Amino acid sequence: MKKIVLFVLFIPFLSLSQNWKNSFEEAINQARSENKNIVLVFSGSDWCAPCIKLDKTVWHSAEFKKESENNWIIYKADFPKKKGNQLHPILTESNNKLAAQYNAAGNFPLVLLLDKSGAVLGVEGYKNISAAEYINLIHSFEKK
């Protein structure tokens, strides 16, 4: 009975799950094979208030889920501070390398649109706008 209850409680989260890649290398490889751009997000998931708000407002929205599945490969380089939220050391090292390349100033949140080779098409930070407006903002980088 407990297993059924846990499964039923988990079902709502399945519909909100995003297709965030597990590694940046995986994101680049998929972007090349599918000829798509990459949305790269630098986030401090457990300490950065604007990151948390962007996550709730945009990244977890149905609009972004649909748009990202159709148009982009998505990767979040997370930099949590709380001990219980620390990433695997290999992932931490990979995210640090990405930060050195794309976010040397250490801005959080930072959202980049990259082409399939990793070249920067556009950069944005937190904006207090709707998910649809943020999606349009990301798309505007494609038209430059």
Side-chain angles (χ1 to χ4, degrees), residues 101-115:
Q101 182 176 359
Y102 293 109
N103 191 8
N107 296 319
F108 290 89
L110 187 69
V111 179
L112 296 94
L113 184 67
L114 310 174
D115 70 12

Side-chain angles (χ1 to χ4, degrees), residues 3-4 15 23 28 30-32 45 50 60 66 72 74 105 124 127 134 136 140:
K3 289 180 183 178
I4 294 171
S15 65
S23 72
I28 285 283
Q30 187 174 349
R32 287 179 181 149
S45 63
H60 280 101
K66 181 180 178 187
W72 304 307
I74 54 177
E124 191 55 71
K127 293 247 187 232
Y134 211 95
N136 288 336
S140 74

Side-chain angles (χ1 to χ4, degrees), residues 18-27 30 73-77 87-88 90-92 94-95 98:
Q18 302 292 335
N19 196 21
W20 296 97
K21 296 300 149 202
N22 295 319
S23 72
F24 189 69
E25 182 177 309
E26 178 187 359
Q30 187 174 349
I73 306 303
I74 54 177
Y75 181 76
K76 190 179 294 181
L87 306 174
H88 188 279
I90 293 172
L91 186 54
T92 298
S94 174
N95 287 349
L98 281 174

Side-chain angles (χ1 to χ4, degrees), residues 33-100:
S33 69
E34 295 180 17
N35 195 30
K36 290 184 177 180
N37 292 326
I38 301 166
V39 174
L40 170 59
V41 178
F42 287 93
S43 180
S45 63
D46 64 2
W47 59 269
C48 169
C51 299
I52 294 166
K53 189 166 184 180
L54 193 61
D55 191 58
K56 289 178 183 176
T57 304
V58 178
W59 311 140
H60 280 101
S61 71
E63 298 99 333
F64 183 78
K65 179 181 179 185
K66 181 180 178 187
E67 200 68 23
S68 65
E69 286 175 355
N70 294 326
N71 295 292
W72 304 307
I73 306 303
I74 54 177
Y75 181 76
K76 190 179 294 181
D78 193 18
F79 293 83
K81 288 187 177 179
K82 294 179 182 175
K83 187 176 182 179
N85 296 334
Q86 293 303 300
L87 306 174
H88 188 279
I90 293 172
L91 186 54
T92 298
E93 181 182 341
S94 174
N95 287 349
N96 285 334
K97 287 179 183 177
L98 281 174

